[in-house]
Amino acid sequence: MYNAKNRKNICWKLCSKFLRSFFSSFLIRACLLTWLFFLPVAEARPSSLSDPQVFILKSTGVCQGCAEAISKMLFTAGIRSQILGPEQLIANVRPQDLLIIGGGVPGGEGEWTIKQDLMKVHAFEWLKKHIENGGRYFGICAGAYLAEQWIDRPNKISGLDIFPGSIDVYTQNKSAQVLRVRFLRERVVRSAYFQDGPAFYPSSASEVEVVARFERDKTPAAVLFSYGKGKVGLLSPHLEADQDWFTEANLNDQDGSDYDLGINMIKKVLQP
């Protein structure tokens, strides 16, 4: 039977146990919060305002889905891009930025239509000055043809005239096909999606880096060079093509995605 004295001792023991538990827990929390407070915080490092951004043209002359395919390829490498219409270029593309123009509408005069798209908003001459003054340009297929001196010489339709040499059709076969292309930097040969793309013939005195050659005859299929203060990459095959492109054209992609090769070229153009 408990008396008052025993009840008092029991209450004191219970209170003491509670207080020890409370202050012990409190001290642990206080120490933990103090440690977290003084722990160095890793700062999120925003991209410098001077870093080049990547823009991709979408217009009536560019093949349907081509701008999106290029953007998808870049996304896999963590390269952010923005798709713009011709009327948005001058206001958004800064002097150091990269503009990518992809393939043209199949069966049409893609590069001529793209030029018209740009001329309507006074962006064709702007593009040439953009590159000359230190901007970056990357052309794929029709976007590469756009860099030549004459899009249509007999009709006196001029191109950007930034390539030191000549650009001409690689094959008279206008259909989508798979061609073997040797990439010199990576030392690999890939089966690449190709449709009516150009071949590049640099002048002997020019400082053009041939990045890839068609395997069948070693004709240049991709090049890098400077124009004025700017940097340019031109590519004939569609390295941005995914499996859907091959399936729709009833073609066999023998060695899988070519994203890595396209990304390597674009990264080179983005370098200082």
Side-chain angles (χ1 to χ4, degrees), residues 159-170:
L160 289 170
D161 192 18
I162 60 174
F163 179 67
S166 62
I167 300 174
D168 203 354
V169 293
Y170 178 61

Side-chain angles (χ1 to χ4, degrees), residues 190-192 241 243 246 253-260:
R190 293 279 184 85
S191 298
Q243 185 57 50
F246 289 86
D253 183 7
Q254 301 174 19
D255 44 31
S257 172
D258 299 316
Y259 280 4
D260 56 326

Side-chain angles (χ1 to χ4, degrees), residues 23-256:
F23 282 111
S24 175
S25 178
F26 175 80
L27 288 172
I28 291 171
R29 290 192 181 97
C31 290
L32 182 60
L33 288 172
T34 302
W35 177 73
L36 290 172
F37 180 80
F38 287 103
L39 192 67
V41 178
E43 295 182 3
R45 305 176 92 181
S47 298
S48 168
L49 292 176
S50 62
D51 288 345
Q53 295 181 19
V54 180
F55 296 95
I56 305 167
L57 178 68
K58 182 174 184 176
S59 74
T60 57
V62 175
C63 58
Q64 185 176 1
C66 284
E68 291 80 3
I70 297 166
S71 182
K72 177 183 174 182
M73 176 180 71
L74 293 173
F75 181 78
T76 64
I79 301 174
R80 297 177 61 184
S81 61
Q82 185 176 352
I83 297 174
L84 298 179
E87 71 284 354
Q88 299 172 296
L89 295 177
I90 296 176
N92 290 279
V93 180
R94 303 169 304 166
Q96 72 272 30
D97 289 341
L98 167 64
L99 176 64
I100 302 176
I101 299 181
V105 177
E109 295 293 334
E111 59 272 24
W112 170 219
T113 309
I114 293 170
K115 178 181 178 178
Q116 290 177 306
D117 294 338
L118 296 173
M119 289 182 65
K120 288 174 184 176
V121 292
H122 310 289
F124 188 72
E125 285 302 321
W126 163 86
L127 176 55
K128 183 171 182 175
K129 291 177 181 177
H130 167 73
I131 302 166
E132 187 174 13
N133 292 333
R136 294 162 168 86
Y137 178 71
F138 196 87
I140 303 172
C141 198
Y145 279 120
L146 202 64
E148 62 188 331
Q149 181 180 9
W150 296 102
I151 294 174
D152 185 346
R153 184 184 290 273
N155 292 312
K156 297 183 179 180
I157 300 173
S158 61
L160 289 170
D161 192 18
I162 60 174
F163 179 67
S166 62
I167 300 174
D168 203 354
V169 293
Y170 178 61
T171 173
Q172 297 302 316
N173 183 350
K174 304 293 184 181
S175 301
Q177 55 189 301
V178 174
L179 293 182
R180 299 286 283 172
V181 182
R182 180 176 296 275
F183 292 84
L184 307 182
R185 285 173 170 268
E186 294 82 1
R187 298 182 179 180
V188 296
V189 179
R190 293 279 184 85
S191 298
Y193 188 101
F194 175 91
Q195 186 169 16
D196 200 19
F200 308 102
Y201 303 94
S203 60
S204 57
S206 64
E207 295 184 1
V208 173
E209 178 186 354
V210 176
V211 178
R213 295 181 182 275
F214 294 107
E215 184 69 356
R216 68 168 65 155
D217 57 11
K218 312 307 179 189
T219 302
V223 292
L224 293 169
F225 59 97
S226 298
Y227 178 75
K229 298 178 182 178
K231 301 179 74 174
V232 181
L234 303 179
L235 175 65
S236 181
H238 289 274
L239 303 183
E240 78 278 15
D242 61 15
Q243 185 57 50
D244 289 342
W245 288 42
F246 289 86
T247 301
E248 289 177 12
N250 198 27
L251 297 172
N252 181 28
D253 183 7
Q254 301 174 19
D255 44 31

